[in-house]
Amino acid sequence: MSSKLLSNATEVDLSGLVPAEAVTVLLRVTIAPPNGGILIYVGPDYEMPIVANGPVWEGHVDCQPPVIYIQPVGDPAPAWRIDHVGPESEYRVAAAS
C-alpha cells in the first residue's frame, strides 16, 4: 500500500479491542455531517477501501493484522468516531439494554 494514499488516514489499532484469534470484527462508525463519508482500509493488503457513508456505517471488517486506517473524504473532512468494535453478539446485547 502506498503511504501517499494513507497520508490523510488515521491508524486505528484494534489489538486491545479484539481477541488475538479474531479474523473479522463488527465495526460501527458514526460520521458527521450525516452526508459525510470515509474510507476504511483493512489488511492484509490495505488496497481496496470500504466506502462508508454517514450518518452511521456498520459492517464486518477483517482484523488481521489488527490495524485499520480511516480516511475522511470531502472538504471539509467529516468527523467520525468508532462506536463499537467487537463481536456482533456484544453489540446486540448492549443495544438491547
Side-chain angles (χ1 to χ4, degrees), residues 11-89:
E11 180 179 307
V12 179
D13 184 358
L14 304 176
S15 61
L17 304 172
V18 297
E21 67 276 2
V23 177
T24 63
V25 66
L26 180 69
L27 178 69
R28 181 179 169 94
V29 181
T30 298
I31 305 162
N35 62 347
I38 59 174
L39 299 176
I40 303 170
Y41 292 89
V42 298
D45 57 14
Y46 301 100
E47 290 181 4
M48 288 294 294
I50 298 168
V51 177
N53 295 310
V56 175
W57 181 87
E58 180 178 299
H60 289 90
V61 297
D62 292 338
C63 59
Q64 289 302 327
V67 174
I68 63 173
Y69 294 88
I70 297 181
Q71 181 174 341
V73 177
D75 187 20
W80 56 271
R81 76 170 185 266
I82 295 177
D83 296 323
H84 177 78
V85 175
E88 186 170 1
S89 58

